[in-house]
Amino acid sequence: MKRQTADIVREYGPFEGSPQVHGVTFDGERVWFATGEKLIAFDPKTGHEERTLDVPANAGTAFDGQHLYQISEDRIHKIDPKTGNVLASIPAPGGGADSGLAWAEGTLWVGQYRGKKIHRIDPETGKILRTIESDRFVTGVTWVDHDLWHGTWEGDDSDIRRIDPTTGEVLERLDMPKGTAVSGLESNGADLFYCGGGPTGKIRAVKRHRQDG
């Protein structure tokens, strides 16, 4: 397993009135994050807040290229990012114990925090298609360059890890500084991860080193 210290290149926030960060996603232009009572979007180039949607948002967030998906208690809502309207809703596989959320290849990937699991589910029905086990509490989940990554957070220790999407074997690990939480995880599709900072209200950009680099 390849292991190194996470390289935090920038911090955003905390944003006014948003003391917690739960889920994090990226729509290609803006970073969206869940704060409990709303979703907030900011420009990662400037760090300026740009949009707010009043939707319950207490865990993972994902973007499929057109819609946002947001875990709210024991449901996953499909949301129009222009209006904030909930277009559809499916049951979350963890029944309210869910954490991270990601979109890949037409399916949703859902982290189950204390269950130490990642479920691949049908986005239309919520049916579980596959389950991967982890040895740590699972927070955020993301895909980039056909690789599955997830965040972990237990006590003062957090990391970001690349795993085999079939077996769950840890292939690479980025250790966050002690006391630095990962409460949500998303890739920018290139060389950065955006990590929720839990009760700090911050989002941190962490460098992703390409496999050939």
Side-chain angles (χ1 to χ4, degrees):
M1 178 187 69
K2 184 177 179 181
R3 183 176 180 180
Q4 57 189 315
T5 301
D7 182 7
I8 299 173
V9 297
R10 185 169 179 179
E11 288 189 342
Y12 302 94
F15 294 83
E16 185 176 357
S18 304
Q20 289 276 349
V21 178
H22 301 290
V24 180
T25 195
F26 181 61
D27 69 6
E29 295 181 358
R30 294 171 291 267
V31 176
W32 292 82
F33 64 99
T35 68
E37 300 299 324
K38 55 188 176 182
L39 275 167
I40 294 176
F42 69 87
D43 184 335
K45 295 178 181 176
T46 65
H48 295 161
E49 184 176 323
E50 292 194 341
R51 297 280 311 281
T52 299
L53 299 179
D54 291 324
V55 295
N58 62 349
T61 313
F63 183 70
D64 69 357
Q66 185 176 3
H67 303 103
L68 292 165
Y69 290 82
Q70 178 59 54
I71 296 175
S72 176
E73 302 296 344
D74 61 352
R75 307 290 296 179
I76 300 174
H77 297 316
K78 180 179 181 179
I79 298 166
D80 183 336
K82 296 178 181 176
T83 65
N85 291 337
V86 175
L87 305 176
S89 182
I90 57 174
D98 309 275
S99 49
L101 190 63
W103 175 271
E105 300 177 343
T107 56
L108 285 168
W109 295 72
V110 189
Q112 192 174 336
Y113 181 56
R114 292 188 180 278
K116 302 180 180 181
K117 296 176 182 176
I118 299 171
H119 303 288
R120 183 183 188 186
I121 69 169
D122 184 319
E124 299 294 329
T125 65
K127 178 182 178 182
I128 296 175
L129 305 175
R130 192 199 315 171
T131 297
I132 304 168
E133 304 279 348
S134 177
D135 62 357
R136 296 265 296 170
F137 291 165
V138 177
T139 54
V141 183
T142 190
W143 279 87
V144 59
D145 288 348
H146 306 292
D147 289 325
L148 175 59
W149 294 74
H150 79 83
T152 79
W153 179 14
E154 289 187 39
D156 288 337
D157 298 319
S158 285
D159 62 57
I160 304 166
R161 49 182 59 189
R162 178 169 61 91
I163 65 171
D164 184 310
T166 301
T167 66
E169 177 187 358
V170 181
L171 306 174
E172 183 176 356
R173 180 172 152 184
L174 306 178
D175 294 316
M176 297 293 281
K178 201 166 188 65
T180 305
V182 175
S183 62
L185 181 68
E186 177 63 298
S187 165
N188 71 342
D191 59 351
L192 292 176
F193 292 114
Y194 296 114
C195 304
T200 67
K202 295 181 179 180
I203 293 94
R204 297 182 174 92
V206 173
K207 183 76 173 177
R208 181 179 76 93
H209 300 282
R210 294 183 181 278
Q211 302 309 308
D212 57 3

